[in-house]
Amino acid sequence: MKRPADNLNDRPSKLSIFLRRQKRLIRPALVTLVLCAVGAGCIAFAHHVGSDERFAPFRARMVNMLPLRITNITVTGNELTSDDALQAALGVRRGDFILGFSLNAARQRIDALPFVDHSVVERRLPDTIIIHLIERRPFAVWQNHGHFMLIDREGNQVRDQGMTGKDAQAFMQLPLVVGPDANLAAASLMDELSAQPEVRSHVTAAVRVGQRRWNLTLRDGTIVMLPEGEEVPALKRLAQMQQDMRLLDRPVVSIDMRLPDRLIIREAPHPASNDNATPPTAEPSGLPAPDMPWTRPDVANLRRRA
């Protein structure tokens, strides 16, 4: 049976059907074009604002309104590098805008620190900075026959870059040991000194005598003669005397602790009794004379001797 003619006129044309289908695609395309235009305008405005000093206060307010703030700074590998030095080299701290600094510039500043060989600095959005240090492992400075070198805990020489830049800083910050065999015996002495911070803070150098025992040179030039193989009880005794009577702050020439049953202190002669001053007492027969008091040279002297 045929359909009536008026029903045939109600059927939509092919063009109408096509346009109706395309309308679903045209609307998202228009929205995308509008968003792109707005984004381009924002980028152009931000570039203009960023290059114009008149908008500096506005930029500062925008940064303060941004939510991306540093709340965590994670550091690994910093056994010799202090937290204060690392913080200063990083250049930002907790609460600062996490996108407001250069990772490359921060890494270069950290790599310039005395004990850092190289570093890795990462920014983890939204709020974390991660720093990993690969440190050189110098433990002390060893002076032997007029030459200075960085050594590790085992006494082996640590690669350095000469007496300039951060190596000069490392030389001036590390403990100094002097004499043959001092590099091999330094670790145990420095560990024992670290256990007595009242004494360690006064020591500028440790001189190995006869490859058997140690003399400590204090900041004021006083020589402390430690007994062979009995450094631990001697340092504990010295720390107790420092606590009780401030012995290490007194103007004495030497403190002889080599005998187990006595302590011999040589005081500096008074000006009125210089003519009658007793000459320095040599070590007992069969023992080598102690080295002359040693004072840490400045960087210029280190460069000349190295």
Side-chain angles (χ1 to χ4, degrees):
M1 185 175 67
K2 296 183 179 181
R3 296 179 181 178
D6 53 350
N7 290 339
L8 293 175
N9 295 332
D10 292 339
R11 183 177 181 180
S13 65
K14 293 182 179 180
L15 179 61
S16 299
I17 295 173
F18 175 79
L19 293 176
R20 192 176 300 170
R21 290 176 178 175
Q22 296 305 313
K23 210 180 273 188
R24 300 173 184 176
L25 301 176
I26 293 173
R27 187 173 298 169
L30 290 175
V31 172
T32 302
L33 289 175
V34 171
L35 291 177
C36 289
V38 172
C42 292
I43 292 173
F45 176 74
H47 178 73
H48 177 68
V49 168
S51 60
D52 195 333
E53 291 300 324
R54 294 177 300 173
F55 292 96
F58 176 73
R59 290 199 305 271
R61 285 196 298 271
M62 287 183 62
V63 169
N64 290 330
M65 292 172 61
L66 292 173
L68 300 177
R69 297 288 171 180
I70 300 172
T71 59
N72 299 304
I73 299 178
T74 303
V75 181
T76 57
N78 59 325
E79 295 185 13
L80 298 173
T81 304
S82 70
D83 292 339
D84 291 340
L86 189 58
Q87 179 69 69
L90 179 61
V92 293
R93 59 185 65 248
R94 288 177 177 85
D96 291 346
F97 181 44
I98 196 170
L99 299 177
F101 75 105
S102 167
L103 288 178
N104 187 52
R107 183 165 47 248
Q108 290 178 359
R109 291 192 299 269
I110 293 173
D111 288 350
L113 294 175
F115 302 116
V116 177
D117 185 76
H118 62 280
S119 63
V120 178
V121 183
E122 298 180 358
R123 180 164 33 211
R124 298 281 180 87
L125 297 177
D127 58 7
T128 301
I129 300 296
I130 297 177
I131 304 171
H132 179 62
L133 302 184
I134 295 87
E135 294 183 325
R136 300 180 301 159
R137 304 310 302 264
F139 173 75
V141 179
W142 178 32
Q143 178 193 351
N144 189 34
H145 301 297
H147 297 283
F148 295 83
M149 65 184 70
L150 298 173
I151 58 172
D152 59 20
R153 284 187 63 90
E154 288 71 38
N156 302 314
Q157 184 175 2
V158 174
R159 177 185 60 84
D160 60 66
Q161 302 168 7
M163 290 309 304
T164 58
K166 65 180 183 179
D167 276 330
Q169 299 176 45
F171 269 68
M172 301 308 294
Q173 294 179 29
L174 291 170
L176 182 128
V177 294
V178 183
D181 191 48
N183 60 319
L184 302 177
S188 59
L189 176 67
M190 292 305 161
D191 290 344
E192 293 157 7
L193 277 172
S194 297
Q196 307 298 335
E198 303 89 350
V199 178
R200 177 69 183 88
S201 62
H202 287 73
V203 175
T204 61
V207 181
R208 191 72 169 161
V209 180
Q211 299 183 352
R212 296 181 302 103
R213 64 170 198 85
W214 293 97
N215 282 353
L216 303 180
T217 302
L218 307 187
R219 289 196 308 259
D220 59 1
T222 300
I223 303 297
V224 179
M225 304 175 189
L226 297 179
E228 179 183 353
E230 298 293 330
E231 294 87 358
V232 173
L235 290 174
K236 289 182 178 179
R237 184 182 177 193
L238 195 60
Q240 188 62 49
M241 287 188 291
Q242 172 64 9
Q243 184 177 352
D244 294 342
M245 63 183 70
R246 313 304 299 174
L247 176 61
L248 302 182
D249 298 322
R250 296 186 178 187
V252 299
V253 175
S254 63
I255 303 172
D256 192 342
M257 308 184 72
R258 291 171 295 171
L259 300 177
D261 59 343
R262 70 190 66 182
L263 180 72
I264 303 174
I265 299 176
R266 258 190 67 206
E267 294 185 349
H270 298 289
S273 60
N274 280 342
D275 294 337
N276 299 322
T278 304
T281 303
E283 296 206 357
S285 176
L287 296 178
D291 290 2
M292 294 298 292
W294 188 95
T295 56
R296 184 183 290 270
D298 57 21
V299 174
N301 288 335
L302 284 174
R303 291 197 187 106
R304 287 196 294 270
R305 296 188 185 185

PDB file of all heavy atoms in Angstrom, residues 45-75:
ATOM      1  N   PHE A  45      49.947  38.288  27.629  1.00  0.00           N
ATOM      2  CA  PHE A  45      49.872  39.229  28.749  1.00  0.00           C
ATOM      3  C   PHE A  45      50.943  38.923  29.790  1.00  0.00           C
ATOM      4  O   PHE A  45      51.603  39.831  30.308  1.00  0.00           O
ATOM      5  CB  PHE A  45      48.483  39.159  29.372  1.00  0.00           C
ATOM      6  CG  PHE A  45      48.329  40.025  30.589  1.00  0.00           C
ATOM      7  CD1 PHE A  45      48.228  41.407  30.471  1.00  0.00           C
ATOM      8  CD2 PHE A  45      48.298  39.454  31.853  1.00  0.00           C
ATOM      9  CE1 PHE A  45      48.099  42.199  31.604  1.00  0.00           C
ATOM     10  CE2 PHE A  45      48.172  40.244  32.983  1.00  0.00           C
ATOM     11  CZ  PHE A  45      48.073  41.620  32.854  1.00  0.00           C
ATOM     12  N   ALA A  46      51.132  37.627  30.088  1.00  0.00           N
ATOM     13  CA  ALA A  46      52.153  37.256  31.076  1.00  0.00           C
ATOM     14  C   ALA A  46      53.539  37.629  30.598  1.00  0.00           C
ATOM     15  O   ALA A  46      54.390  38.074  31.380  1.00  0.00           O
ATOM     16  CB  ALA A  46      52.069  35.749  31.353  1.00  0.00           C
ATOM     17  N   HIS A  47      53.801  37.440  29.297  1.00  0.00           N
ATOM     18  CA  HIS A  47      55.111  37.823  28.760  1.00  0.00           C
ATOM     19  C   HIS A  47      55.322  39.327  28.876  1.00  0.00           C
ATOM     20  O   HIS A  47      56.407  39.797  29.240  1.00  0.00           O
ATOM     21  CB  HIS A  47      55.209  37.376  27.302  1.00  0.00           C
ATOM     22  CG  HIS A  47      56.509  37.764  26.650  1.00  0.00           C
ATOM     23  ND1 HIS A  47      57.701  37.130  26.941  1.00  0.00           N
ATOM     24  CD2 HIS A  47      56.799  38.740  25.734  1.00  0.00           C
ATOM     25  CE1 HIS A  47      58.670  37.682  26.239  1.00  0.00           C
ATOM     26  NE2 HIS A  47      58.151  38.653  25.501  1.00  0.00           N
ATOM     27  N   HIS A  48      54.267  40.091  28.579  1.00  0.00           N
ATOM     28  CA  HIS A  48      54.373  41.551  28.680  1.00  0.00           C
ATOM     29  C   HIS A  48      54.587  41.973  30.127  1.00  0.00           C
ATOM     30  O   HIS A  48      55.425  42.827  30.430  1.00  0.00           O
ATOM     31  CB  HIS A  48      53.117  42.195  28.106  1.00  0.00           C
ATOM     32  CG  HIS A  48      53.109  43.693  28.222  1.00  0.00           C
ATOM     33  ND1 HIS A  48      53.979  44.496  27.517  1.00  0.00           N
ATOM     34  CD2 HIS A  48      52.348  44.528  28.982  1.00  0.00           C
ATOM     35  CE1 HIS A  48      53.760  45.772  27.831  1.00  0.00           C
ATOM     36  NE2 HIS A  48      52.764  45.808  28.716  1.00  0.00           N
ATOM     37  N   VAL A  49      53.840  41.339  31.031  1.00  0.00           N
ATOM     38  CA  VAL A  49      53.988  41.671  32.455  1.00  0.00           C
ATOM     39  C   VAL A  49      55.364  41.283  32.965  1.00  0.00           C
ATOM     40  O   VAL A  49      56.000  41.999  33.740  1.00  0.00           O
ATOM     41  CB  VAL A  49      52.878  40.964  33.267  1.00  0.00           C
ATOM     42  CG1 VAL A  49      53.160  41.045  34.761  1.00  0.00           C
ATOM     43  CG2 VAL A  49      51.523  41.579  32.950  1.00  0.00           C
ATOM     44  N   GLY A  50      55.852  40.138  32.519  1.00  0.00           N
ATOM     45  CA  GLY A  50      57.152  39.677  32.996  1.00  0.00           C
ATOM     46  C   GLY A  50      58.308  40.524  32.530  1.00  0.00           C
ATOM     47  O   GLY A  50      59.362  40.558  33.161  1.00  0.00           O
ATOM     48  N   SER A  51      58.139  41.228  31.407  1.00  0.00           N
ATOM     49  CA  SER A  51      59.233  42.026  30.866  1.00  0.00           C
ATOM     50  C   SER A  51      59.142  43.494  31.243  1.00  0.00           C
ATOM     51  O   SER A  51      60.034  44.271  30.908  1.00  0.00           O
ATOM     52  CB  SER A  51      59.265  41.882  29.333  1.00  0.00           C
ATOM     53  OG  SER A  51      58.029  42.338  28.784  1.00  0.00           O
ATOM     54  N   ASP A  52      58.082  43.873  31.903  1.00  0.00           N
ATOM     55  CA  ASP A  52      57.886  45.275  32.264  1.00  0.00           C
ATOM     56  C   ASP A  52      58.053  45.430  33.768  1.00  0.00           C
ATOM     57  O   ASP A  52      57.344  44.810  34.553  1.00  0.00           O
ATOM     58  CB  ASP A  52      56.489  45.720  31.832  1.00  0.00           C
ATOM     59  CG  ASP A  52      56.352  47.250  31.848  1.00  0.00           C
ATOM     60  OD1 ASP A  52      57.072  47.890  32.628  1.00  0.00           O
ATOM     61  OD2 ASP A  52      55.511  47.773  31.085  1.00  0.00           O
ATOM     62  N   GLU A  53      59.019  46.271  34.183  1.00  0.00           N
ATOM     63  CA  GLU A  53      59.287  46.468  35.608  1.00  0.00           C
ATOM     64  C   GLU A  53      58.117  47.125  36.321  1.00  0.00           C
ATOM     65  O   GLU A  53      58.004  47.039  37.543  1.00  0.00           O
ATOM     66  CB  GLU A  53      60.558  47.311  35.789  1.00  0.00           C
ATOM     67  CG  GLU A  53      61.832  46.603  35.390  1.00  0.00           C
ATOM     68  CD  GLU A  53      62.044  45.337  36.222  1.00  0.00           C
ATOM     69  OE1 GLU A  53      61.702  45.349  37.417  1.00  0.00           O
ATOM     70  OE2 GLU A  53      62.537  44.349  35.665  1.00  0.00           O
ATOM     71  N   ARG A  54      57.244  47.799  35.584  1.00  0.00           N
ATOM     72  CA  ARG A  54      56.098  48.441  36.231  1.00  0.00           C
ATOM     73  C   ARG A  54      55.160  47.419  36.864  1.00  0.00           C
ATOM     74  O   ARG A  54      54.412  47.739  37.782  1.00  0.00           O
ATOM     75  CB  ARG A  54      55.321  49.282  35.215  1.00  0.00           C
ATOM     76  CG  ARG A  54      56.088  50.481  34.671  1.00  0.00           C
ATOM     77  CD  ARG A  54      55.263  51.185  33.621  1.00  0.00           C
ATOM     78  NE  ARG A  54      54.954  50.286  32.509  1.00  0.00           N
ATOM     79  CZ  ARG A  54      54.122  50.611  31.503  1.00  0.00           C
ATOM     80  NH1 ARG A  54      53.502  51.779  31.518  1.00  0.00           N
ATOM     81  NH2 ARG A  54      53.899  49.753  30.528  1.00  0.00           N
ATOM     82  N   PHE A  55      55.216  46.189  36.358  1.00  0.00           N
ATOM     83  CA  PHE A  55      54.323  45.155  36.860  1.00  0.00           C
ATOM     84  C   PHE A  55      54.988  44.273  37.913  1.00  0.00           C
ATOM     85  O   PHE A  55      54.451  43.222  38.255  1.00  0.00           O
ATOM     86  CB  PHE A  55      53.832  44.279  35.701  1.00  0.00           C
ATOM     87  CG  PHE A  55      52.932  44.993  34.742  1.00  0.00           C
ATOM     88  CD1 PHE A  55      53.440  45.556  33.584  1.00  0.00           C
ATOM     89  CD2 PHE A  55      51.581  45.111  35.009  1.00  0.00           C
ATOM     90  CE1 PHE A  55      52.612  46.219  32.695  1.00  0.00           C
ATOM     91  CE2 PHE A  55      50.741  45.769  34.125  1.00  0.00           C
ATOM     92  CZ  PHE A  55      51.253  46.334  32.966  1.00  0.00           C
ATOM     93  N   ALA A  56      56.149  44.675  38.418  1.00  0.00           N
ATOM     94  CA  ALA A  56      56.846  43.861  39.415  1.00  0.00           C
ATOM     95  C   ALA A  56      55.991  43.611  40.655  1.00  0.00           C
ATOM     96  O   ALA A  56      55.911  42.476  41.137  1.00  0.00           O
ATOM     97  CB  ALA A  56      58.173  44.514  39.792  1.00  0.00           C
ATOM     98  N   PRO A  57      55.353  44.635  41.245  1.00  0.00           N
ATOM     99  CA  PRO A  57      54.485  44.341  42.400  1.00  0.00           C
ATOM    100  C   PRO A  57      53.349  43.389  42.064  1.00  0.00           C
ATOM    101  O   PRO A  57      52.982  42.527  42.866  1.00  0.00           O
ATOM    102  CB  PRO A  57      53.963  45.729  42.805  1.00  0.00           C
ATOM    103  CG  PRO A  57      54.952  46.694  42.241  1.00  0.00           C
ATOM    104  CD  PRO A  57      55.414  46.073  40.955  1.00  0.00           C
ATOM    105  N   PHE A  58      52.807  43.532  40.858  1.00  0.00           N
ATOM    106  CA  PHE A  58      51.724  42.634  40.444  1.00  0.00           C
ATOM    107  C   PHE A  58      52.223  41.203  40.331  1.00  0.00           C
ATOM    108  O   PHE A  58      51.541  40.253  40.753  1.00  0.00           O
ATOM    109  CB  PHE A  58      51.146  43.117  39.108  1.00  0.00           C
ATOM    110  CG  PHE A  58      50.091  42.214  38.551  1.00  0.00           C
ATOM    111  CD1 PHE A  58      48.837  42.168  39.125  1.00  0.00           C
ATOM    112  CD2 PHE A  58      50.359  41.405  37.449  1.00  0.00           C
ATOM    113  CE1 PHE A  58      47.853  41.341  38.604  1.00  0.00           C
ATOM    114  CE2 PHE A  58      49.396  40.567  36.941  1.00  0.00           C
ATOM    115  CZ  PHE A  58      48.126  40.536  37.519  1.00  0.00           C
ATOM    116  N   ARG A  59      53.437  41.035  39.754  1.00  0.00           N
ATOM    117  CA  ARG A  59      54.015  39.687  39.655  1.00  0.00           C
ATOM    118  C   ARG A  59      54.213  39.091  41.030  1.00  0.00           C
ATOM    119  O   ARG A  59      53.960  37.903  41.253  1.00  0.00           O
ATOM    120  CB  ARG A  59      55.354  39.739  38.903  1.00  0.00           C
ATOM    121  CG  ARG A  59      55.235  40.040  37.431  1.00  0.00           C
ATOM    122  CD  ARG A  59      56.496  39.617  36.693  1.00  0.00           C
ATOM    123  NE  ARG A  59      57.700  40.210  37.267  1.00  0.00           N
ATOM    124  CZ  ARG A  59      58.200  41.375  36.899  1.00  0.00           C
ATOM    125  NH1 ARG A  59      57.594  42.088  35.947  1.00  0.00           N
ATOM    126  NH2 ARG A  59      59.296  41.850  37.448  1.00  0.00           N
ATOM    127  N   ALA A  60      54.723  39.904  41.976  1.00  0.00           N
ATOM    128  CA  ALA A  60      54.955  39.398  43.327  1.00  0.00           C
ATOM    129  C   ALA A  60      53.657  38.936  43.977  1.00  0.00           C
ATOM    130  O   ALA A  60      53.609  37.891  44.635  1.00  0.00           O
ATOM    131  CB  ALA A  60      55.626  40.487  44.173  1.00  0.00           C
ATOM    132  N   ARG A  61      52.579  39.706  43.778  1.00  0.00           N
ATOM    133  CA  ARG A  61      51.287  39.311  44.344  1.00  0.00           C
ATOM    134  C   ARG A  61      50.775  38.018  43.714  1.00  0.00           C
ATOM    135  O   ARG A  61      50.211  37.157  44.382  1.00  0.00           O
ATOM    136  CB  ARG A  61      50.265  40.426  44.161  1.00  0.00           C
ATOM    137  CG  ARG A  61      50.465  41.599  45.118  1.00  0.00           C
ATOM    138  CD  ARG A  61      49.225  42.469  45.166  1.00  0.00           C
ATOM    139  NE  ARG A  61      48.922  43.072  43.866  1.00  0.00           N
ATOM    140  CZ  ARG A  61      49.395  44.241  43.453  1.00  0.00           C
ATOM    141  NH1 ARG A  61      50.220  44.943  44.250  1.00  0.00           N
ATOM    142  NH2 ARG A  61      49.067  44.736  42.280  1.00  0.00           N
ATOM    143  N   MET A  62      51.002  37.875  42.403  1.00  0.00           N
ATOM    144  CA  MET A  62      50.570  36.640  41.728  1.00  0.00           C
ATOM    145  C   MET A  62      51.320  35.430  42.280  1.00  0.00           C
ATOM    146  O   MET A  62      50.735  34.370  42.508  1.00  0.00           O
ATOM    147  CB  MET A  62      50.809  36.762  40.221  1.00  0.00           C
ATOM    148  CG  MET A  62      49.838  37.682  39.503  1.00  0.00           C
ATOM    149  SD  MET A  62      50.133  37.698  37.717  1.00  0.00           S
ATOM    150  CE  MET A  62      49.816  35.989  37.305  1.00  0.00           C
ATOM    151  N   VAL A  63      52.640  35.588  42.475  1.00  0.00           N
ATOM    152  CA  VAL A  63      53.437  34.477  43.006  1.00  0.00           C
ATOM    153  C   VAL A  63      52.970  34.099  44.398  1.00  0.00           C
ATOM    154  O   VAL A  63      52.875  32.919  44.762  1.00  0.00           O
ATOM    155  CB  VAL A  63      54.934  34.857  43.009  1.00  0.00           C
ATOM    156  CG1 VAL A  63      55.751  33.843  43.805  1.00  0.00           C
ATOM    157  CG2 VAL A  63      55.459  34.936  41.584  1.00  0.00           C
ATOM    158  N   ASN A  64      52.661  35.121  45.231  1.00  0.00           N
ATOM    159  CA  ASN A  64      52.219  34.845  46.590  1.00  0.00           C
ATOM    160  C   ASN A  64      50.865  34.142  46.614  1.00  0.00           C
ATOM    161  O   ASN A  64      50.532  33.442  47.570  1.00  0.00           O
ATOM    162  CB  ASN A  64      52.134  36.142  47.398  1.00  0.00           C
ATOM    163  CG  ASN A  64      53.520  36.701  47.686  1.00  0.00           C
ATOM    164  OD1 ASN A  64      54.474  35.948  47.799  1.00  0.00           O
ATOM    165  ND2 ASN A  64      53.620  38.018  47.812  1.00  0.00           N
ATOM    166  N   MET A  65      50.075  34.332  45.572  1.00  0.00           N
ATOM    167  CA  MET A  65      48.756  33.703  45.517  1.00  0.00           C
ATOM    168  C   MET A  65      48.813  32.274  44.982  1.00  0.00           C
ATOM    169  O   MET A  65      47.857  31.513  45.144  1.00  0.00           O
ATOM    170  CB  MET A  65      47.823  34.534  44.627  1.00  0.00           C
ATOM    171  CG  MET A  65      47.473  35.900  45.210  1.00  0.00           C
ATOM    172  SD  MET A  65      46.565  36.937  44.035  1.00  0.00           S
ATOM    173  CE  MET A  65      45.099  35.937  43.767  1.00  0.00           C
ATOM    174  N   LEU A  66      49.940  31.893  44.370  1.00  0.00           N
ATOM    175  CA  LEU A  66      50.037  30.559  43.789  1.00  0.00           C
ATOM    176  C   LEU A  66      50.152  29.510  44.897  1.00  0.00           C
ATOM    177  O   LEU A  66      50.815  29.719  45.903  1.00  0.00           O
ATOM    178  CB  LEU A  66      51.245  30.475  42.855  1.00  0.00           C
ATOM    179  CG  LEU A  66      51.122  31.308  41.578  1.00  0.00           C
ATOM    180  CD1 LEU A  66      52.440  31.292  40.820  1.00  0.00           C
ATOM    181  CD2 LEU A  66      49.999  30.791  40.694  1.00  0.00           C
ATOM    182  N   PRO A  67      49.541  28.340  44.713  1.00  0.00           N
ATOM    183  CA  PRO A  67      49.531  27.331  45.779  1.00  0.00           C
ATOM    184  C   PRO A  67      50.778  26.452  45.822  1.00  0.00           C
ATOM    185  O   PRO A  67      50.949  25.704  46.772  1.00  0.00           O
ATOM    186  CB  PRO A  67      48.293  26.490  45.421  1.00  0.00           C
ATOM    187  CG  PRO A  67      48.198  26.591  43.932  1.00  0.00           C
ATOM    188  CD  PRO A  67      48.687  27.973  43.579  1.00  0.00           C
ATOM    189  N   LEU A  68      51.641  26.480  44.815  1.00  0.00           N
ATOM    190  CA  LEU A  68      52.773  25.560  44.736  1.00  0.00           C
ATOM    191  C   LEU A  68      53.912  26.058  45.622  1.00  0.00           C
ATOM    192  O   LEU A  68      54.815  26.767  45.173  1.00  0.00           O
ATOM    193  CB  LEU A  68      53.235  25.416  43.284  1.00  0.00           C
ATOM    194  CG  LEU A  68      52.185  24.868  42.311  1.00  0.00           C
ATOM    195  CD1 LEU A  68      52.742  24.838  40.905  1.00  0.00           C
ATOM    196  CD2 LEU A  68      51.738  23.478  42.740  1.00  0.00           C
ATOM    197  N   ARG A  69      53.880  25.664  46.877  1.00  0.00           N
ATOM    198  CA  ARG A  69      54.879  26.087  47.844  1.00  0.00           C
ATOM    199  C   ARG A  69      55.742  24.904  48.266  1.00  0.00           C
ATOM    200  O   ARG A  69      55.284  23.756  48.323  1.00  0.00           O
ATOM    201  CB  ARG A  69      54.204  26.679  49.087  1.00  0.00           C
ATOM    202  CG  ARG A  69      53.397  27.929  48.796  1.00  0.00           C
ATOM    203  CD  ARG A  69      54.310  29.085  48.518  1.00  0.00           C
ATOM    204  NE  ARG A  69      53.583  30.247  48.019  1.00  0.00           N
ATOM    205  CZ  ARG A  69      54.173  31.387  47.708  1.00  0.00           C
ATOM    206  NH1 ARG A  69      55.470  31.490  47.820  1.00  0.00           N
ATOM    207  NH2 ARG A  69      53.462  32.387  47.262  1.00  0.00           N
ATOM    208  N   ILE A  70      57.018  25.174  48.584  1.00  0.00           N
ATOM    209  CA  ILE A  70      57.930  24.126  49.027  1.00  0.00           C
ATOM    210  C   ILE A  70      57.622  23.797  50.482  1.00  0.00           C
ATOM    211  O   ILE A  70      57.707  24.660  51.354  1.00  0.00           O
ATOM    212  CB  ILE A  70      59.398  24.571  48.885  1.00  0.00           C
ATOM    213  CG1 ILE A  70      59.721  24.889  47.430  1.00  0.00           C
ATOM    214  CG2 ILE A  70      60.343  23.485  49.402  1.00  0.00           C
ATOM    215  CD1 ILE A  70      61.088  25.516  47.231  1.00  0.00           C
ATOM    216  N   THR A  71      57.272  22.558  50.732  1.00  0.00           N
ATOM    217  CA  THR A  71      57.049  22.109  52.107  1.00  0.00           C
ATOM    218  C   THR A  71      58.033  21.024  52.529  1.00  0.00           C
ATOM    219  O   THR A  71      58.219  20.798  53.723  1.00  0.00           O
ATOM    220  CB  THR A  71      55.619  21.568  52.274  1.00  0.00           C
ATOM    221  OG1 THR A  71      55.415  20.467  51.366  1.00  0.00           O
ATOM    222  CG2 THR A  71      54.589  22.648  51.980  1.00  0.00           C
ATOM    223  N   ASN A  72      58.694  20.378  51.563  1.00  0.00           N
ATOM    224  CA  ASN A  72      59.651  19.307  51.885  1.00  0.00           C
ATOM    225  C   ASN A  72      60.927  19.495  51.073  1.00  0.00           C
ATOM    226  O   ASN A  72      60.872  19.701  49.860  1.00  0.00           O
ATOM    227  CB  ASN A  72      59.052  17.926  51.566  1.00  0.00           C
ATOM    228  CG  ASN A  72      57.802  17.639  52.360  1.00  0.00           C
ATOM    229  OD1 ASN A  72      57.814  17.695  53.579  1.00  0.00           O
ATOM    230  ND2 ASN A  72      56.714  17.351  51.659  1.00  0.00           N
ATOM    231  N   ILE A  73      62.071  19.439  51.764  1.00  0.00           N
ATOM    232  CA  ILE A  73      63.379  19.425  51.106  1.00  0.00           C
ATOM    233  C   ILE A  73      64.103  18.177  51.611  1.00  0.00           C
ATOM    234  O   ILE A  73      64.486  18.098  52.779  1.00  0.00           O
ATOM    235  CB  ILE A  73      64.196  20.683  51.417  1.00  0.00           C
ATOM    236  CG1 ILE A  73      63.450  21.939  50.916  1.00  0.00           C
ATOM    237  CG2 ILE A  73      65.577  20.598  50.767  1.00  0.00           C
ATOM    238  CD1 ILE A  73      64.173  23.237  51.234  1.00  0.00           C
ATOM    239  N   THR A  74      64.259  17.205  50.741  1.00  0.00           N
ATOM    240  CA  THR A  74      64.865  15.926  51.109  1.00  0.00           C
ATOM    241  C   THR A  74      66.308  15.885  50.610  1.00  0.00           C
ATOM    242  O   THR A  74      66.568  16.131  49.429  1.00  0.00           O
ATOM    243  CB  THR A  74      64.069  14.759  50.498  1.00  0.00           C
ATOM    244  OG1 THR A  74      62.708  14.843  50.936  1.00  0.00           O
ATOM    245  CG2 THR A  74      64.654  13.426  50.913  1.00  0.00           C
ATOM    246  N   VAL A  75      67.248  15.581  51.515  1.00  0.00           N
ATOM    247  CA  VAL A  75      68.673  15.564  51.175  1.00  0.00           C
ATOM    248  C   VAL A  75      69.243  14.200  51.532  1.00  0.00           C
ATOM    249  O   VAL A  75      68.999  13.678  52.628  1.00  0.00           O
ATOM    250  CB  VAL A  75      69.439  16.664  51.941  1.00  0.00           C
ATOM    251  CG1 VAL A  75      70.916  16.649  51.543  1.00  0.00           C
ATOM    252  CG2 VAL A  75      68.821  18.030  51.665  1.00  0.00           C
TER     253      VAL A  75
END
